Amino acid sequence: MLRIAIQKSGRLSDDSLNLIRECGISFISSSLKLKTESTNFPLEILFLRDDDIPGYVADGVADIGIVGENVLVEEGKQHLTVEQLGFSKCRLSLAVPKATEYKSVADLEGMNIATSYPNILQNFLDENGVKAQIHTISGSVEIAPSIGLAEAICDIVSSGSTLISNGLREVERVFKSQAVLIANEDLSEEKREILAKLLFRIHAVQRAQKTKYIVLNSPNESIERIKELLPGIKSPTILPLAEEGWSSIHSVVQEDAFWEIIEKIKDAGAQGILVVPIEKMIV
Ligand code: PRT
Ligand code: ZN
């Protein structure tokens, strides 16, 4: 049995649970429960505050966990990272009131800066040779300048709208973060094997999320050109259509290259293009 710690309720919770479900792991969840066990995979799920997850995994209370890199690095436990998961992307940024003049990091010298991430911030200041006073507060960091507690803040930013609505301007990106899978360093052989199975499934889910299945019709004289544009996993599948001189081409495309490829294959003569999501992809 492997124990995973995930956030009980917050920005990481839904994506963490979805990832486990997409790996085909079933469990009964209830918002009141602190732990649950899968019915078809040797996994127990613990629901915790995100800040407690790195410590619990380091101590072996949980074997693995899902947490934001911002929390992990702040607690000095980045060596536990196994895999970046690609969700809950955000950044830790320095911001000052809109009216504050700011040209470079040197302008932070001597300032009072409010943050919930004193270690990451201190590192950044040291790297840039800046001396400033860090005020550690646990929440509502963005209001610190307006109540006179600080001249700058260092906080998590995603869309940037919280900064704007508090009259603040992002001036430095200190740290980029996303959700990561972490693991205890002394897992037993049995637990390692379960983790390897889980990772195999996670990779299949991640690969599928990044790719689309594409089916299209092509005049035979365009097949070579279209084949070059659609590399596929090995190479595209080409099947003759009932209509003379036409073929059906099946392949996979990378999500990020998708629109560019579609334009090019249309120009090359493709018709009836179907693009379908892929649920799992094992290579
Ligand atoms: O209760 P618990 O301690 O478990 O949760 P929490 O309140 O400490 O964390 P939570 O759920 O807010 O965030 C969990 C993790 O999600 C963080 O550690 C980050 O890794 C990640 N994440 C992604 C974010 C954001 N996006 C985010 N936008 N964490 C916080 N925010 C906050 C930010 O603090 C600020 O108040 O959202 C506001 C900014 O958002 P924008 O979109 O207005 O820029
Ligand atoms: Zn937290």
Side-chain angles (χ1 to χ4, degrees):
M1 179 75 72
L2 193 70
R3 259 188 171 182
I4 186 168
I6 64 168
Q7 191 187 27
K8 181 165 168 50
S9 119
R11 287 185 165 88
L12 294 160
S13 309
D14 287 349
D15 286 333
S16 302
L17 284 173
N18 282 343
L19 178 64
I20 296 172
R21 285 204 181 93
E22 281 169 18
C23 287
I25 299 172
S26 312
F27 53 89
I28 297 159
S29 74
S30 138
S31 55
L32 299 172
K33 273 189 156 179
L34 291 178
K35 65 176 185 177
T36 186
E37 206 173 292
S38 166
T39 49
N40 64 352
F41 193 84
L43 189 74
E44 186 175 46
I45 306 172
L46 299 185
F47 299 97
L48 301 171
R49 289 271 320 262
D50 68 341
D51 317 70
D52 295 334
I53 293 175
Y56 278 10
V57 170
D59 296 345
V61 175
D63 302 311
I64 60 172
I66 296 178
V67 70
E69 282 174 311
N70 49 319
V71 169
L72 191 68
V73 173
E74 180 60 26
E75 296 185 20
K77 300 210 164 51
Q78 52 272 37
H79 56 282
L80 302 177
T81 304
V82 174
E83 185 85 33
Q84 292 189 318
L85 296 173
F87 59 82
S88 290
K89 286 189 175 165
C90 57
R91 55 194 189 268
L92 188 64
S93 288
L94 278 153
V96 296
K98 259 189 307 196
T100 303
E101 211 176 298
Y102 186 96
K103 287 193 210 72
S104 73
V105 271
D107 293 326
L108 297 168
E109 185 76 29
M111 275 194 188
N112 294 299
I113 310 175
T115 188
S116 307
Y117 297 89
N119 296 326
I120 299 179
L121 176 58
Q122 188 64 62
N123 257 337
F124 176 83
L125 295 175
D126 290 348
E127 273 168 17
N128 287 283
V130 172
K131 288 204 166 46
Q133 289 77 50
I134 299 178
H135 294 263
T136 307
I137 52 177
S138 59
S140 305
V141 175
E142 63 279 357
I143 63 163
S146 64
I147 59 170
L149 180 71
E151 287 102 47
I153 66 159
C154 179
D155 198 12
I156 299 288
V157 180
S158 164
S159 66
S161 60
T162 303
L163 292 183
I164 292 170
S165 62
N166 284 281
L168 299 167
R169 178 163 62 99
E170 186 176 1
V171 290
E172 300 287 344
R173 296 183 175 193
V174 172
F175 184 77
K176 263 174 69 179
S177 177
Q178 60 177 287
V180 283
L181 184 76
I182 58 172
N184 177 272
E185 291 183 299
D186 300 310
L187 292 182
S188 67
E189 194 54 37
E190 182 213 342
K191 289 183 190 230
R192 267 178 215 284
E193 277 171 24
I194 305 172
L195 176 57
K197 280 188 189 152
L198 180 64
L199 278 172
F200 177 81
R201 295 188 186 193
I202 289 176
H203 293 153
V205 170
Q206 284 179 332
R207 241 180 260 119
Q209 281 167 350
K210 285 190 205 135
T211 41
K212 302 268 179 229
Y213 192 76
I214 179 164
V215 182
L216 59 93
N217 295 333
S218 162
N220 286 347
E221 60 271 20
S222 303
I223 290 177
E224 280 313 310
R225 171 84 190 105
I226 291 175
K227 255 171 72 180
E228 278 167 25
L229 295 165
L230 292 175
I233 304 174
K234 270 209 164 71
S235 71
T237 307
I238 299 171
L239 302 165
L241 285 187
E243 190 179 329
E244 188 82 11
W246 282 80
S247 295
S248 166
I249 302 181
H250 298 220
S251 190
V252 294
V253 291
Q254 292 294 314
E255 172 95 80
D256 45 10
F258 172 74
W259 286 111
E260 209 188 319
I261 287 179
I262 295 292
E263 301 267 310
K264 287 184 181 154
I265 56 176
K266 263 186 77 187
D267 291 346
Q271 292 182 8
I273 305 169
L274 282 183
V275 180
V276 190
I278 297 173
E279 200 176 307
K280 307 280 184 302
M281 188 164 153
I282 323 292
V283 291

